[in-house]
Amino acid sequence: MALIDSYGRRINYLRLSVTDRCNLRCSYCMPADGIAKLAHGEMLSYEELLRVAAESVALGIEKIRITGGEPLVRKGLIGFIERLAAIPALRELVLTTNGLLLGEMALPLRRAGVGRLNISLDSLKPEVFAGITRGGDLRRVIDGIAAAEDAGFPPAKINMVVMRGVNDDELLDFAALTLRRPYTVRFIEYMPTVGGQGASALCVTGNEILERIGRRYPLLPLVSSEMAGPSRNFKISGAAGAIGIITPISGHFCDSCNRIRVSAAGLVRGCLFADGGIDLRQYLDAGDDGGLRETLRRIVTGKPGRHRLADEEAGRGSIPMSQIGG
Ligand code: SAM
Ligand code: SF4
């Protein structure tokens, strides 16, 4: 069955957040302090997450991404993934991580049924990485990427959030990672979700990123698959890997958006920046799978044509991505 929204987009991708907790505190994702964590009982149980996943797949979702917060910090994750992977019509099960715990978890994740990993990595300089993540150890992420390869994962997609004056001097170094290794390095426009004065000045547009890389390396456009989502992909001529540009701010994003999201607290949203979302807990508590399915369908039908983050930035407070499952 195909899930089509009112703008004719085929919705086949669910981002499922399993926790709002994290072992890092990236400056673009969370404020330095003062962020309320969900109490344990407020988080959906694995049983509840499985019901949401199963109903979504029954409706037409084909790809699920496990995210957070940092998904690898939630206890019992491997058993949950095994059960998720067993949903018959689910075509793709993937996970986004900051990579810190991959050293020990890459192999169990692979064996449990995760098909591919996206790994966030915003600097190749230890001190800059520690600054962005407020204390993270770059070595562990690099080792985590190696552990993922050893565990048999396909080449990682590496996500870099580009911030002017913070890490944009590393664009060419990240692009060069794809020369000899088959990674896909995806440059993501910084979204001013945490706010603070001058936040939007940090954004480097996708076009500028492409132009700066293209001046050094000729880029060939690649065709994206239907499941790929809103990344525009390129290849440096002769490179082993690929380069992706994700432009939530400057465009080319909403038109091809194929996703819905469920937060760790059970709020389903048709758009990252939709206010509120609908609480699925009432249906989960009542054992009302029909209501659950109808609500998921309603979220698809009501999915906005585009987000208004850039227009509304001035009036918005902080929206930590760790809470909505970035
Ligand atoms: N903890 C995992 C990680 O960092 O990969 C998964 C959750 S994280 C919220 C998911 C993605 O959201 C990461 O790739 C992160 O870079 C991205 N993200 C968070 N805040 C962002 C922002 N303000 N602008 C652009 N991307 C952001
Ligand atoms: Fe944690 Fe990921 Fe947010 Fe960084 S981007 S604070 S790793 S949830």
Side-chain angles (χ1 to χ4, degrees):
M1 192 194 332
L3 263 181
I4 309 289
D5 77 0
S6 52
Y7 296 87
R9 294 171 297 194
R10 176 152 182 246
I11 310 303
N12 59 2
Y13 176 14
L14 167 67
R15 293 180 69 103
L16 190 59
S17 175
V18 297
T19 182
D20 64 333
R21 315 228 162 172
C22 189
N23 46 3
L24 290 179
R25 218 178 167 91
C26 302
S27 56
Y28 53 76
C29 176
M30 293 191 199
D33 44 38
I35 184 172
K37 290 199 189 94
L38 291 175
H40 209 73
E42 290 174 307
M43 248 187 257
L44 294 191
S45 66
Y46 283 137
E47 211 56 58
E48 290 168 329
L49 287 164
L50 280 165
R51 281 171 60 200
V52 171
E55 288 303 331
S56 304
V57 171
L59 273 175
I61 292 295
E62 298 171 310
K63 168 176 173 180
I64 295 181
R65 175 172 305 282
I66 301 165
T67 181
E70 173 50 39
L72 302 194
V73 302
R74 182 154 177 189
K75 289 201 171 58
L77 184 74
I78 299 298
F80 165 67
I81 289 176
E82 281 167 356
R83 295 172 68 196
L84 202 54
I87 297 176
L90 181 59
R91 283 174 54 194
E92 260 192 80
L93 178 58
V94 294
L95 180 142
T96 298
T97 173
N98 61 30
L100 281 188
L101 295 174
L102 278 179
E104 63 243 50
M105 290 186 72
L107 192 57
L109 286 168
R110 184 70 178 151
R111 287 189 174 144
V114 175
R116 181 187 274 277
L117 297 173
N118 283 12
I119 301 173
S120 297
L121 175 60
D122 304 309
S123 176
L124 300 170
K125 300 177 187 170
E127 64 294 349
V128 177
F129 182 81
I132 294 171
T133 57
R134 300 194 178 100
D137 178 358
L138 175 63
R139 189 72 251 163
R140 285 178 66 189
V141 182
I142 304 286
D143 291 349
I145 294 173
E149 280 178 45
D150 292 346
F153 277 103
K157 289 187 182 172
I158 296 175
N159 288 340
M160 177 204 195
V161 177
V162 183
M163 291 169 284
R164 195 180 300 284
V166 177
N167 60 357
D168 66 325
D169 59 331
E170 297 185 59
L171 286 176
L172 293 182
D173 297 337
F174 271 85
L177 285 179
T178 68
L179 290 174
R180 272 185 290 281
R181 309 305 304 268
Y183 303 132
T184 299
V185 172
R186 305 187 327 157
F187 299 97
I188 305 177
E189 283 178 350
Y190 163 81
M191 297 179 276
T193 50
V194 176
Q197 211 153 26
S200 50
L202 291 175
C203 181
V204 182
T205 63
N207 282 346
E208 180 180 335
I209 294 169
L210 277 179
E211 201 255 315
R212 285 169 62 178
I213 297 172
R215 252 186 267 149
R216 171 70 181 80
Y217 300 110
L219 292 172
L220 313 168
L222 298 174
V223 180
S224 297
S225 81
E226 196 200 358
M227 304 274 269
S231 172
R232 279 186 292 155
N233 294 327
F234 302 83
K235 197 177 176 71
I236 298 175
S237 176
I243 281 172
I245 304 282
I246 302 182
T247 52
I249 296 297
S250 69
H252 301 283
F253 184 79
C254 302
D255 291 348
S256 58
C257 185
N258 59 351
R259 59 191 63 185
I260 58 171
R261 329 174 163 258
V262 173
S263 76
L267 289 174
V268 57
R269 288 182 171 87
C271 174
L272 185 51
F273 303 111
D275 289 326
I278 302 180
D279 195 347
L280 295 177
R281 194 174 277 288
Q282 51 191 312
Y283 307 105
L284 291 163
D285 287 349
D288 179 3
D289 286 345
L292 194 57
R293 202 180 286 202
E294 228 11 79
T295 306
L296 290 163
R297 200 194 299 276
R298 191 144 49 92
I299 279 290
V300 168
T301 317
K303 189 172 157 62
R306 60 178 289 253
H307 75 69
R308 311 217 169 262
L309 182 69
D311 322 345
E312 291 175 15
E313 181 207 333
R316 273 197 181 267
S318 182
I319 331 168
M321 296 277 271
S322 56
Q323 287 181 350
I324 41 184

